[in-house]
Amino acid sequence: MILAAVCSAVIGLAIALAAFSRYPDRFRHRNLTLATGPGAAVLGAAITYTVLGGGHLPIVLPVAAAFAAAMLSLLVKHPERSRPAAAYLAGRPVR
């Protein structure tokens, strides 16, 4: 489990670094982005390790990477949404 946790943390950090360096304007906080990647990857690896049991490292690592990417996607700020959605749909100006 230690090897899976360390490898998944490295993978999560690599995904977070790649996402932040490619799209720096879409992530609000650098530290939050760089902490979410490894944390989410370790959590995904722990859940997968618990479900499958030991000895499934080739399956655990891709699931951890997918979990980290999915959690990082929740932090993305969309630049085209400058107004709240309710005001946008109603056509009213926002103060």
Side-chain angles (χ1 to χ4, degrees):
M1 178 62 190
I2 299 290
L3 179 64
V6 170
C7 290
S8 64
V10 169
I11 289 171
L13 183 62
I15 291 172
L17 280 170
F20 190 78
S21 66
R22 177 123 171 120
Y23 303 108
D25 55 330
R26 295 219 177 174
F27 291 99
R28 291 186 175 102
H29 304 287
R30 182 177 192 264
N31 293 338
L32 179 64
T33 303
L34 295 180
T36 301
V42 170
L43 180 64
I47 291 171
T48 308
Y49 189 86
T50 302
V51 169
L52 296 178
H56 293 93
L57 191 63
I59 298 171
V60 169
L61 294 180
V63 170
F67 202 80
M71 294 305 263
L72 282 171
S73 73
L74 297 176
L75 297 178
V76 173
K77 174 183 72 168
H78 298 285
E80 64 271 0
R81 289 190 199 168
S82 60
R83 310 190 292 177
Y88 178 75
L89 292 176
R92 293 177 286 155
V94 177
R95 296 187 179 111

